[in-house]
Amino acid sequence: MQVKLEQLAAYRASGTPRGISSVCSAHPIILRAALRHGLQSGATVLIEATCNQVNHLGGYTGMKPADFVALVCRIAAEEGCPVEQIVLGGDHLGPNPWRDRDAEAAMAEAEKMVAAYVAAGFRKLHLDASMGCKDEPVALDDAVTAARAVRLAAVAEKTAKDVGGDMPCYIIGTEVPPPGGADHALDTIIPTAPEAVRQTLAVHREAFAQAGLADAFNRVIGIVVQPGAEFGNCNVIFYDREKAQSLVRVLDGEPGLVFEAHSTDYQGAKPLAGLVEDGFAILKVGPELTFVLREALYALDVIASDLVPGYGERPLKQEMERLMLADPGNWNRHYYGDAATQAVLRHYSLSDRIRYYWATVAAEKAVARLIAALTGRNIPLPMMWQYLPAATDFADAPLEPETFLIWRVTQSLQAYHAACNG
């Protein structure tokens, strides 16, 4: 059953809550898994790109919004997934990539980015101008955040009218800690205070109205809050429904809204279902998907090392280690401890910052070599038991490595689908 974003609040109000999982990744295998699963399940396929990942200057993937759309559409066509089943979203759209500049310069870039997203076909926009720029506090107050969000909404509205098609729907608010998980072991996470949510909504509602954008605010479908679910490098804080009930009751006074939950990775089926039942109807997942993809790739890398003459001793892992050491900027501010601890985290941290390196030419070549080494080979059952026991159905038959990788990602997607659909 396909549930649309605009229907989520009504489902909750009727006592039959439903949810939509948001796939936050630009990795082609993960996109293919999401689109294939969407075709099989009939569910809405919500795929989101972040401001750092994809923007009008290329982002860390090298893709502009139109490039990302083209990639999704190409894979969707190959998988036979109908375009009307796909929703594209932009996450944390704001000045974040340009925080080292003064606010006006950073916001000018953010406006260009939002225009590029909308022109390319993105229609779910998370407006997040909560971060301070040069010579500003790290986090801004609601008034400044709302004023900047209104600037971005005005650009989105104008661009949508110019290019045609559906008008955007919006998400406001941000979450704590920042996206991608915390940098340290966590003991507990406190849900967002109800009064903070009400204040954020009131200030944004007023700012939109004063700017003549009341109609745009009517298309705000959700607000990002911290439900008390998070993950660090090596541990997970699971959603505790009892602790979140005062936060959940905020939605009783805002029947047109739902909550959007970030960092829901690694929660598992039961906590995810609880989140949806409580009104956290949009569940973001990203690092978990690239983590399980890496898990499957590394399992195959070990198997090929043991099974294929001349393949070498875990050359994929060795290549990823070389890449991360040569360009440490994507992980060294997030992984603490001595050299041995950092070496483990580079490959196995739940925050999965290795994901920034898969799109490099060297990594793609190493993955291609692994796939070529195992394509059509029979993996003995005992080896599969040793390295990825859940994948025994793939043993003792000619292996299609890409199918194997998509299967592993789909296992996570299925847990989200079950939670979102009761």
Side-chain angles (χ1 to χ4, degrees):
M1 181 175 113
Q2 186 174 0
V3 175
K4 297 183 182 298
L5 287 166
E6 297 82 359
Q7 298 173 326
L8 292 172
Y11 272 108
R12 181 183 184 275
S14 71
T16 56
R18 292 291 184 270
I20 295 176
S21 56
S22 170
V23 173
C24 302
S25 179
H27 196 292
I29 288 177
I30 290 171
L31 295 177
R32 189 174 298 278
L35 291 161
R36 186 175 296 181
H37 180 259
L39 176 66
Q40 294 168 350
S41 67
T44 295
V45 184
L46 173 57
I47 295 172
E48 302 208 41
T50 68
C51 61
N52 289 306
Q53 184 185 61
V54 173
N55 59 50
H56 62 296
L57 301 177
Y60 71 75
T61 63
M63 286 189 284
K64 298 178 181 179
D67 300 323
F68 186 83
V69 172
L71 173 63
V72 171
C73 289
R74 175 180 64 78
I75 297 173
E78 292 170 357
E79 293 295 326
C81 184
V83 292
E84 58 269 20
Q85 204 173 324
I86 304 168
V87 177
L88 295 173
D91 198 20
H92 294 285
L93 299 186
N96 186 56
W98 306 282
R99 283 180 298 168
D100 58 341
R101 307 184 190 183
D102 64 74
E104 193 54 41
M107 282 298 296
E109 295 296 342
E111 288 176 328
K112 294 174 186 175
M113 174 179 65
V114 167
Y117 265 82
V118 176
F122 290 78
R123 286 299 182 270
K124 175 187 177 289
L125 308 180
H126 172 209
L127 304 178
D128 182 9
S130 63
M131 64 293 295
C133 299
K134 185 178 180 181
D135 299 326
E136 291 185 324
V138 173
L140 303 176
D141 62 33
D142 279 324
V144 175
T145 298
R148 293 179 183 178
V150 165
R151 283 183 59 176
L152 300 177
V155 171
E157 294 288 294
K158 181 181 184 303
T159 305
K161 290 173 182 174
D162 289 345
V163 301
D166 294 337
M167 296 299 290
C169 64
Y170 298 102
I171 303 291
I172 60 173
T174 190
E175 85 286 355
V176 180
D183 295 334
H184 53 281
L186 301 171
D187 296 321
T188 186
I189 292 290
I190 300 173
T192 303
E195 56 271 20
V197 182
R198 295 188 180 100
Q199 172 72 5
T200 295
L201 284 169
V203 172
H204 278 75
R205 187 177 277 121
E206 178 63 21
F208 273 72
Q210 289 186 356
L213 293 174
D215 181 61
F217 193 84
N218 289 335
R219 283 181 264 112
V220 173
I221 62 169
I223 180 168
V224 178
V225 295
Q226 172 54 265
E230 192 53 82
F231 60 93
N233 282 321
C234 295
N235 75 317
V236 180
I237 301 296
F238 294 99
Y239 179 55
D240 186 329
R241 298 183 69 175
E242 183 177 346
K243 292 180 179 179
Q245 286 313 297
S246 61
L247 170 60
V248 169
R249 284 194 291 272
V250 171
L251 292 176
D252 295 339
E254 296 285 349
L257 298 177
V258 296
F259 289 141
E260 178 169 285
H262 292 207
S263 298
T264 67
D265 310 71
Y266 312 108
Q267 287 289 310
K270 185 176 180 179
L272 290 174
L275 282 162
V276 173
E277 290 171 18
D278 286 343
F280 300 89
I282 303 172
L283 303 178
K284 292 296 192 74
V285 58
E288 177 183 340
L289 302 180
T290 46
F291 181 93
V292 299
L293 175 64
R294 191 272 318 148
E295 177 187 73
L297 283 167
Y298 275 20
L300 294 181
D301 193 36
V302 178
I303 288 170
S305 297
D306 290 349
L307 187 65
V308 181
Y311 177 72
E313 184 61 30
R314 301 191 67 182
L316 174 61
K317 181 178 184 292
Q318 290 186 44
E319 183 61 21
M320 299 310 292
E321 175 76 345
R322 185 191 69 78
L323 288 168
M324 287 186 284
L325 290 176
D327 181 16
N330 289 312
W331 61 265
N332 62 358
R333 291 175 290 110
H334 304 271
Y335 296 160
Y336 303 114
D338 58 22
T341 299
Q342 289 186 359
V344 170
L345 292 175
R346 278 195 294 275
H347 298 273
Y348 303 109
S349 167
L350 296 177
S351 69
D352 195 59
R353 301 194 70 83
I354 195 174
R355 69 186 185 274
Y356 293 95
Y357 299 87
W358 292 115
T360 63
V361 172
E364 289 178 344
K365 286 183 178 178
V367 171
R369 180 169 179 257
L370 169 61
I371 289 174
L374 289 178
T375 295
R377 284 188 177 266
N378 286 23
I379 298 177
L381 178 63
M383 293 188 77
M384 200 65 86
W385 276 348
Q386 177 69 38
Y387 297 118
L388 201 59
T392 53
D393 286 350
F394 289 90
D396 296 324
L399 183 69
E400 295 180 4
E402 186 174 274
T403 300
F404 177 87
L405 298 173
I406 290 173
W407 162 82
R408 183 65 187 95
V409 175
T410 302
Q411 284 189 307
S412 289
L413 294 176
Q414 287 172 338
Y416 277 84
H417 179 73
C420 288
N421 292 275

